[in-house]
Amino acid sequence: MKNIIKKSITTIIIMALALTLTMPVIAQAKAKTKIKINKTKVTLTITKKKTKPTVQLKVKGTSKKVKWTTSNKNVSVSKKGKVTAKKKGTAVVKAKVNGKTLRCRVTVKDSRKPVNKPTNKPEPPKECQHVWVKKEKIVGWKIGCSCGEIFDNIEQWSAHNLQIKLNGEQGHSFSESNIYETYYECSKCGVRK
């Protein structure tokens, strides 16, 4: 009977020791299989050669199917976790698996120089380098009497000539003369001053 009790106690002690030794190993194995994403932050740069840069995201610690989503349509993500940048900006890519949501913040930069788009606005006209030419134009005429007096119209001269004849003098003759105004005109654009 004593042998049976000894064997039982020995068996219990061995089992307790085995459990004590294997528990940390099991805990370490569970710690190793913790579910995580391979990148939590990523920066993609758009260049002339790489207009749509990509990065592959992976979820470690599970063999179950991962559902991928993105917060920005300009940063797409495929069913297999491939992230493609289309435009400058930021996005949060989420991976849902086993009731957990893992996140990766994606920053997209653009190193290309901005292209100036042509506008439909006409260019302002270039300022003319004026070349001024002196010109004259007739703005009226005067009546010149042979006695030297000048009259604005023929009626004034006729009255003057009648008075002379009434005074017993011989009638005077007249001549018309134009009145000119001087101005300057640009020979290039035609503007006047």
Side-chain angles (χ1 to χ4, degrees), residues 93-105:
V93 175
K94 294 178 183 177
K96 289 184 180 179
V97 62
N98 284 358
K100 290 187 176 183
T101 302
L102 307 169
R103 292 173 178 81
C104 175
R105 184 172 178 81

Side-chain angles (χ1 to χ4, degrees), residues 135-144 150-154 156 175-183:
K135 293 194 173 186
E136 291 181 332
K137 67 178 178 178
I138 299 169
V139 292
W141 51 276
K142 296 274 184 183
I143 303 292
I150 295 175
F151 301 95
D152 290 331
N153 52 51
I154 196 72
Q156 289 177 354
S175 62
E176 291 182 12
S177 59
N178 293 327
I179 300 171
Y180 294 94
E181 183 181 273
T182 303
Y183 65 95

Side-chain angles (χ1 to χ4, degrees), residues 123-190:
E123 287 187 26
K126 292 181 180 177
E127 194 173 314
C128 180
Q129 301 298 317
H130 300 301
V131 177
W132 299 110
V133 178
K134 186 177 179 180
K135 293 194 173 186
E136 291 181 332
K137 67 178 178 178
I138 299 169
V139 292
W141 51 276
K142 296 274 184 183
I143 303 292
C145 185
S146 54
C147 70
E149 286 192 53
I150 295 175
F151 301 95
D152 290 331
N153 52 51
I154 196 72
E155 288 82 15
Q156 289 177 354
W157 178 83
S158 295
H160 163 73
N161 199 33
L162 182 61
Q163 187 64 42
I164 286 179
K165 285 180 181 177
L166 290 174
N167 289 338
E169 296 179 36
Q170 191 178 2
H172 294 175
S173 60
F174 73 91
S175 62
E176 291 182 12
S177 59
N178 293 327
I179 300 171
Y180 294 94
E181 183 181 273
T182 303
Y183 65 95
Y184 291 87
E185 184 176 278
C186 176
S187 61
K188 290 183 176 180
C189 66

Side-chain angles (χ1 to χ4, degrees), residues 80-97:
K80 294 185 178 180
K82 186 177 182 180
V83 177
T84 305
K86 297 173 186 175
K87 284 186 181 179
K88 183 180 175 182
T90 58
V92 176
V93 175
K94 294 178 183 177
K96 289 184 180 179
V97 62

Side-chain angles (χ1 to χ4, degrees):
M1 184 79 172
K2 284 183 181 180
N3 285 339
I4 294 172
I5 293 170
K6 280 183 182 179
K7 283 183 181 180
S8 297
I9 292 171
T10 307
T11 305
I12 291 169
I13 290 171
I14 290 171
M15 286 178 71
L17 285 171
L19 283 172
T20 306
L21 293 173
T22 57
M23 285 187 76
V25 175
I26 292 167
Q28 282 180 356
K30 283 188 178 180
K32 284 182 182 177
T33 59
K34 185 179 177 183
I35 297 170
K36 61 181 181 177
I37 195 164
N38 65 333
K39 293 177 188 287
T40 56
K41 284 184 182 179
V42 106
T43 300
L44 299 172
T45 304
I46 299 170
T47 63
K48 284 183 180 179
K49 290 182 180 179
K50 280 191 174 182
T51 55
K52 290 184 179 179
T54 60
V55 66
Q56 182 64 53
L57 296 181
K58 293 178 183 177
V59 174
K60 297 177 179 179
T62 184
S63 58
K64 292 191 177 181
K65 190 176 179 181
V66 180
K67 186 181 178 183
W68 296 94
T69 57
T70 178
S71 65
N72 185 341
K73 64 180 181 180
N74 292 320
V75 180
S76 64
V77 62
S78 71
K79 290 179 181 179
K80 294 185 178 180
K82 186 177 182 180
V83 177
T84 305
K86 297 173 186 175
K87 284 186 181 179
K88 183 180 175 182
T90 58
V92 176
V93 175
K94 294 178 183 177
K96 289 184 180 179
V97 62
N98 284 358
K100 290 187 176 183
T101 302
L102 307 169
R103 292 173 178 81
C104 175
R105 184 172 178 81
V106 181
T107 304
V108 182
K109 295 180 179 179
D110 195 338
S111 67
R112 298 173 296 181
K113 290 182 180 178
V115 178
N116 293 332
K117 292 182 180 178
T119 58
N120 293 333
K121 293 180 181 177
E123 287 187 26
K126 292 181 180 177
E127 194 173 314
C128 180
Q129 301 298 317
H130 300 301
V131 177
W132 299 110
V133 178
K134 186 177 179 180
K135 293 194 173 186
E136 291 181 332
K137 67 178 178 178
I138 299 169
V139 292
W141 51 276
K142 296 274 184 183
I143 303 292
C145 185
S146 54
C147 70
E149 286 192 53
I150 295 175
F151 301 95
D152 290 331
N153 52 51
I154 196 72
E155 288 82 15
Q156 289 177 354
W157 178 83
S158 295
H160 163 73
N161 199 33
L162 182 61
Q163 187 64 42
I164 286 179
K165 285 180 181 177
L166 290 174
N167 289 338
E169 296 179 36
Q170 191 178 2
H172 294 175
S173 60
F174 73 91
S175 62
E176 291 182 12
S177 59
N178 293 327
I179 300 171
Y180 294 94
E181 183 181 273
T182 303
Y183 65 95
Y184 291 87
E185 184 176 278
C186 176
S187 61
K188 290 183 176 180
C189 66
V191 74
R192 294 182 180 185
K193 70 171 185 175

